[in-house]
Amino acid sequence: MDFSKNKVQGDLSSKWGSCEKLQLLRMAGNSVNGNIPGEIFHLKQLQKLDLSSNQLSGTIPSQIGYSLNLYSLNLGGNKLSGKIPIEIGKLSNLQYLDLSMNMLLGEIPIQIRDCSNLLSLNLSNNHLNGTIPFQIGSLATLQILLDLSYNSFSGEIPATIGHLLNLISLNISNNNLSDSIPDEINGMLSLSNLNLSYNHLEGKIPKGGIFKSNSSTSLDLSNNQGLCGDFKGLKPCSVSLSQPNGDGSDKESVVIPIVASLGGALFLLLIFVGIFFLCYKKNSRPSRLKVSSVKIPNPFSVLYFNGRVIYEDIIEATNNFDDKYFIGGGAFGNVYKAQLKGGQMLAVKKLKYDDESLVIDSIKTFENEVKSITETRHRNIVKFYGFCFAGIHTFLVYEYMDKGSLADMLIDDMKSIELDWVKRVEIVTGVASALSYMHHDCSPLLIHRDISSKNILLSSNLEAHVSDFGTARFLKPNSPIWTSFAGTYGYAAPELAYTMAVTEKCDVFSFGVLAFEILTGKHPGDLVSDIQASNVQKIDLKEILDPRLPSPPNNVLNELEMVENLAVSCLHTNPQSRPTMRSISQLLIKM
């Protein structure tokens, strides 16, 4: 039974306890008030119960321990008070527990350790206090989330939390925790999102695991006055610059890294400049661009693969960029299909020079795309072969994608049938993998800023490839980009309406929209608006699935539900509440 996101009012009747065969009950996003009747938890076949985002009050009934088959329980976003009942430990099949945004009091019961199948635990935004029980380290299956933020926990972070080896996201921010950060967190190799901010932690930060990269945007240690270490926003643990010793070693320790950094930056700059001007200037640029007329005597080879491909080959293959080879375009460039003499298929993106007002912007976009794409190497990012910088024949050369864009596939009723449910899950997984690589494995991290179905290209076997890096930007550690709007309306994150501060969370939001588009077969505009307006965490999957495809089998339906859940989490209005692309990618890969 599901009547979520309606205008249902009144008390929750105890008569629900008579529905003996009820397996799923969802009432999320209504105005249901009163207490939760204990009779509901006597339903022996109940597996999912979602009463979130209502106005329920009172305590959580102790009868909760009778729902032995319950594997998903969401009571978040209500006005529940009192303590978490110790009987919750009897729910050994429970996988998802969300009691967030209530008024719960007291300590976390140690019986929580007996919920031995928990994947996600969210107790945030309550009035819980006491210490974090060391027994929480017994929840070895925790994988998606452990969120204890915005409570009143005190004492130290238990070292046993390091036993949660599969955990991806840990948030203990906004509490009264003290003492040092346990070194055991270093061993949590799956951890990709850690927030310990707004506590009273002190001492040195650990050096391994998630702490080893000062560039991590998924690590927040801010507002802990006693913490020190080599991390932006923290004071150094020992300051010796003002008192160098006699042999000048302190000075060297400062100068050498600076010189090395400057030297490395200069070296990379020289490499890029050298590559940039190697292109044979067969055609001079328009005079209004004021480009030097320096002549380069040797022909330039745009790229190397299966032999030497030169500038003239591209011009000949496209018949000087004749319209019959045109396969797509945008504001700053058109894309042409080029088949070389050896049979190799290429996609050539040629900058536009027919609109004088766009010429300078086109050059900037071109330069930015070259800088961005040459830094990436991933199977789900379109392969870049090279570029030519030659006036009106300035172009970039990419691997040709037989199936075109995902947008074109989805909008065509016949082509969309090729994208069966298994393929669609694979496409979502591929895009997530590419974004995870860009956000977490590139240094500095790379933000795409225009994730949409038109920028996802499909190969002959329908493998997804992220394309069009003209708006992409590198992001320095803990420093958002302040820039004018870039992207596609309908995919852009809501915070861009009131701030031009761009972070990787903007890509996460766009990914959520894209994931729903892949599920529904069309742009999910109204659905996204509804999710944000009502702050729902769950929707009826079968109601939104693309009706052009047959119903998915149960095993695939479970995977689609995972995609749906992740997509919803990506659409949080608050950017910091969105998951990281690494955590999303890891969950999808493990399905």
Side-chain angles (χ1 to χ4, degrees):
M1 178 68 73
D2 187 350
F3 46 90
S4 301
K5 294 197 304 179
N6 281 285
K7 298 180 181 179
V8 178
Q9 299 178 348
D11 293 350
L12 188 58
S13 173
S14 62
K15 292 183 180 180
W16 284 102
S18 302
C19 302
E20 297 180 357
K21 294 185 178 181
L22 189 64
Q23 297 180 3
L24 180 149
L25 178 59
R26 289 178 181 153
M27 300 184 184
N30 286 287
S31 299
V32 180
N33 51 33
N35 297 339
I36 301 176
E39 288 82 356
I40 286 183
F41 296 108
H42 286 274
L43 297 173
K44 295 183 179 180
Q45 297 189 41
L46 187 64
Q47 298 178 28
K48 290 186 178 181
L49 178 62
D50 188 351
L51 306 177
S52 62
S53 301
N54 281 286
Q55 299 175 23
L56 295 168
S57 57
T59 62
I60 301 174
S62 61
Q63 292 97 320
I64 192 173
Y66 292 118
S67 292
L68 299 181
N69 287 315
L70 197 65
Y71 75 85
S72 180
L73 175 62
N74 190 347
L75 304 179
N78 284 288
K79 300 177 181 178
L80 299 174
S81 57
K83 296 184 176 182
I84 301 175
I86 62 174
E87 288 81 5
I88 202 164
K90 296 180 181 179
L91 305 182
S92 59
N93 290 313
L94 198 62
Q95 297 181 20
Y96 304 91
L97 176 60
D98 190 340
L99 304 179
S100 63
M101 293 185 288
N102 281 288
M103 297 181 289
L104 298 173
L105 303 167
E107 300 183 357
I108 299 176
I110 61 174
Q111 289 80 5
I112 196 79
R113 65 187 175 191
D114 297 322
C115 297
S116 54
N117 284 299
L118 269 182
L119 296 175
S120 176
L121 174 60
N122 191 348
L123 304 179
S124 64
N125 289 274
N126 279 287
H127 303 301
L128 300 172
N129 54 28
T131 60
I132 298 175
F134 71 87
Q135 290 87 353
I136 210 162
S138 300
L139 300 175
T141 56
L142 270 181
Q143 178 177 332
I144 301 173
L145 172 70
L146 173 59
D147 193 344
L148 307 178
S149 62
Y150 290 93
N151 281 288
S152 299
F153 293 115
S154 57
E156 63 182 17
I157 301 173
T160 55
I161 211 163
H163 296 168
L164 306 179
L165 300 179
N166 298 313
L167 188 63
I168 293 173
S169 180
L170 173 62
N171 190 347
I172 325 178
S173 65
N174 292 273
N175 281 284
N176 297 313
L177 298 169
S178 58
D179 212 332
S180 59
I181 301 174
D183 289 334
E184 285 78 3
I185 293 181
N186 289 343
M188 301 171 68
L189 300 182
S190 295
L191 196 62
S192 60
N193 194 348
L194 176 62
N195 192 342
L196 304 179
S197 63
Y198 289 93
N199 280 289
H200 306 293
L201 300 172
E202 57 188 18
K204 294 183 179 180
I205 62 171
K207 295 183 178 180
I210 194 172
F211 301 100
K212 67 183 179 182
S213 176
N214 198 4
S215 64
S216 174
T217 58
S218 301
L219 174 61
D220 192 346
L221 305 176
S222 61
N223 292 279
N224 284 281
Q225 296 300 319
L227 280 181
C228 65
D230 185 18
F231 195 88
K232 186 172 182 178
L234 298 182
K235 61 184 179 183
C237 293
S238 60
V239 181
S240 59
L241 294 180
S242 60
Q243 297 177 340
N245 58 33
D247 61 5
S249 60
D250 287 332
K251 183 182 294 186
E252 290 178 359
S253 66
V254 176
V255 173
I256 290 174
I258 293 176
V259 172
S261 299
L262 290 175
L266 181 60
F267 179 70
L268 291 175
L269 179 62
L270 289 174
I271 289 178
F272 179 75
V273 171
I275 294 175
F276 203 73
F277 285 98
L278 274 177
C279 182
Y280 175 54
K281 291 181 168 33
K282 185 177 180 68
N283 296 284
S284 63
R285 279 205 194 164
S287 59
R288 63 177 177 271
L289 294 182
K290 298 181 180 179
V291 178
S292 171
S293 59
V294 174
K295 304 227 181 244
I296 299 178
N298 296 322
F300 171 66
S301 177
V302 178
L303 49 96
Y304 292 87
F305 71 103
N306 296 331
R308 184 181 177 96
V309 180
I310 59 175
Y311 172 89
E312 287 80 5
D313 292 331
I314 301 293
I315 303 300
E316 181 180 352
T318 59
N319 193 19
N320 200 17
F321 298 101
D322 189 276
D323 286 345
K324 70 178 180 179
Y325 297 99
F326 174 83
I327 56 176
F332 300 119
N334 291 329
V335 182
Y336 298 84
K337 178 181 178 180
Q339 183 172 6
L340 303 181
K341 295 176 181 178
Q344 176 71 46
M345 300 296 297
L346 300 174
V348 184
K349 183 177 181 180
K350 177 181 177 293
L351 263 67
K352 291 181 179 179
Y353 277 87
D354 52 355
D355 187 340
E356 185 169 354
S357 64
L358 291 178
V359 171
I360 299 300
D361 287 337
S362 296
I363 295 299
K364 291 180 179 179
T365 301
F366 170 83
E367 293 174 354
N368 188 70
E369 186 156 0
V370 170
K371 291 177 184 178
S372 301
I373 198 66
T374 52
E375 296 294 327
T376 61
R377 295 289 187 276
H378 192 277
R379 65 176 297 166
N380 295 112
I381 293 177
V382 65
K383 186 180 293 184
F384 176 63
Y385 288 138
F387 68 92
C388 185
F389 195 71
I392 61 172
H393 284 163
T394 295
F395 54 79
L396 303 107
V397 185
Y398 288 98
E399 178 184 10
Y400 178 73
M401 292 290 152
D402 301 73
K403 295 295 186 179
S405 73
L406 175 61
D408 291 340
M409 289 284 287
L410 288 175
I411 203 171
D412 188 296
D413 288 341
M414 295 300 295
K415 292 180 179 179
S416 64
I417 302 300
E418 292 184 56
L419 299 176
D420 59 32
W421 293 122
V422 173
K423 285 294 183 186
R424 296 194 188 199
V425 171
E426 291 175 352
I427 290 171
V428 173
T429 304
V431 175
S433 180
L435 288 173
S436 174
Y437 164 80
M438 291 163 57
H439 290 183
H440 301 282
D441 297 316
C442 289
S443 182
L445 70 85
L446 182 62
I447 305 175
H448 188 278
R449 298 206 302 159
D450 195 12
I451 293 298
S452 64
S453 56
K454 67 181 177 64
N455 288 333
I456 306 301
L457 303 181
L458 303 176
S459 61
S460 57
N461 63 349
L462 298 176
E463 185 176 45
H465 295 76
V466 177
S467 71
D468 200 342
F469 284 75
T471 61
R473 292 290 187 274
F474 290 104
L475 181 63
K476 296 179 181 179
N478 302 312
S479 176
I481 298 170
W482 294 88
T483 181
S484 58
F485 177 83
T488 302
Y489 288 102
Y491 297 86
E495 60 266 24
L496 295 178
Y498 54 85
T499 177
M500 290 295 104
V502 181
T503 70
E504 77 281 3
K505 297 295 186 178
C506 296
D507 280 353
V508 176
F509 183 90
S510 301
F511 172 81
V513 178
L514 177 69
F516 269 122
E517 183 175 1
I518 293 171
L519 292 176
T520 62
K522 59 183 180 181
H523 188 275
D526 292 340
L527 178 60
V528 173
S529 300
D530 290 345
I531 291 173
Q532 291 191 296
S534 58
N535 196 30
V536 298
Q537 300 297 315
K538 191 70 177 178
I539 56 180
D540 190 337
L541 178 63
K542 293 183 178 179
E543 285 189 4
I544 67 168
L545 289 180
D546 191 340
R548 296 173 295 182
L549 295 183
S551 298
N554 287 336
N555 61 321
V556 180
L557 184 62
N558 292 334
E559 295 180 353
L560 295 174
E561 285 184 343
M562 172 66 81
V563 172
E564 175 206 52
N565 291 337
L566 292 172
V568 169
S569 68
C570 291
L571 300 180
H572 274 291
T573 304
N574 180 4
Q576 297 307 314
S577 297
R578 299 170 199 157
T580 64
M581 287 311 307
R582 173 169 287 171
S583 63
I584 293 171
S585 178
Q586 289 175 342
L587 287 172
L588 290 171
I589 291 173
K590 291 179 180 179
M591 284 196 306

